[in-house]
Amino acid sequence: MRLLTLYLFLVFISTEVLSQSENFESEKNNPDNEEEVEKGKNKISLGWAYYGRGNGVSAIYDREFFEFFSQGIGIEEYFIEDEVETSFFLVTEIPIQKYLNINSGLEIYPGLEYGSFGGEFEAHPFLGFSYPFGDSVGLYTEIGSRGVFGLYYKF
């Protein structure tokens, strides 16, 4: 558990360092547009884990980097019979709609979650789809070795 906590702390610090370098570059290039550039790069997703390890809830925070991928951290609670199983993981997503020039609003992103699932290190690939129904809110689903359906908020 200490090793996992240290690992998550290091990922968080590296995320903040990358974020600060992005802020510095945007400020250096055009300080008037810094707020506009940063808007929508952070995302919080809350959902229902509807298959895989059992019924549960999922919460993920991720941040887009360089418009090519996003990296984040997540926690899921699964309710299995009389027990609650907690999973902590890192997630990496690649928004392929940008590469395929899809401008309909639909986001398609293959991804990988890796971390402690039920106390053991595992990696789970998935394919995600999301669709906005406002400027910063939308629906998403992820399908793979487990499934999640929920809402996201970009800020």
Side-chain angles (χ1 to χ4, degrees):
M1 188 62 175
R2 288 183 192 167
L3 184 60
L4 177 63
T5 304
L6 176 63
Y7 184 68
L8 290 175
F9 176 74
L10 290 175
V11 168
F12 177 76
I13 292 298
S14 65
T15 302
E16 286 300 312
V17 168
L18 283 172
S19 171
Q20 292 301 323
S21 68
E22 283 182 4
N23 287 342
F24 178 73
E25 285 298 319
S26 67
E27 186 176 289
K28 184 172 82 175
N29 293 334
N30 195 353
D32 296 333
N33 290 337
E34 179 181 0
E35 209 172 294
E36 183 179 316
V37 170
E38 291 297 314
K39 184 176 173 150
K41 289 193 171 209
N42 298 293
K43 181 171 70 173
I44 293 178
S45 305
L46 300 173
W48 165 47
Y50 55 91
Y51 77 85
R53 301 183 92 79
N55 279 319
V57 293
S58 175
I60 299 173
Y61 164 79
D62 65 292
R63 178 170 173 80
E64 182 181 282
F65 292 101
F66 313 113
E67 296 185 13
F68 296 116
F69 71 98
S70 66
Q71 180 72 41
I73 57 174
I75 183 171
E76 290 180 350
E77 292 276 333
Y78 295 99
F79 310 108
I80 305 168
E81 296 176 10
D82 293 336
E83 296 181 21
V84 175
E85 178 184 293
T86 304
S87 300
F88 300 97
F89 55 90
L90 300 176
V91 62
T92 302
E93 301 168 350
I94 300 171
I96 63 173
Q97 81 280 356
K98 292 180 182 180
Y99 303 111
L100 301 176
N101 201 20
I102 298 172
N103 297 322
S104 66
L106 177 69
E107 295 179 3
I108 305 167
Y109 52 94
L112 180 68
E113 296 176 335
Y114 43 98
S116 174
F117 291 88
E120 295 184 20
F121 181 81
E122 297 177 13
H124 299 277
F126 64 87
L127 182 60
F129 302 92
S130 64
Y131 192 81
F133 56 83
D135 289 337
S136 58
V137 179
L139 291 172
Y140 79 98
T141 190
E142 295 172 353
I143 303 167
S145 60
R146 69 201 224 332
V148 177
F149 177 76
L151 297 170
Y152 71 83
Y153 173 70
K154 288 186 177 182
F155 57 100

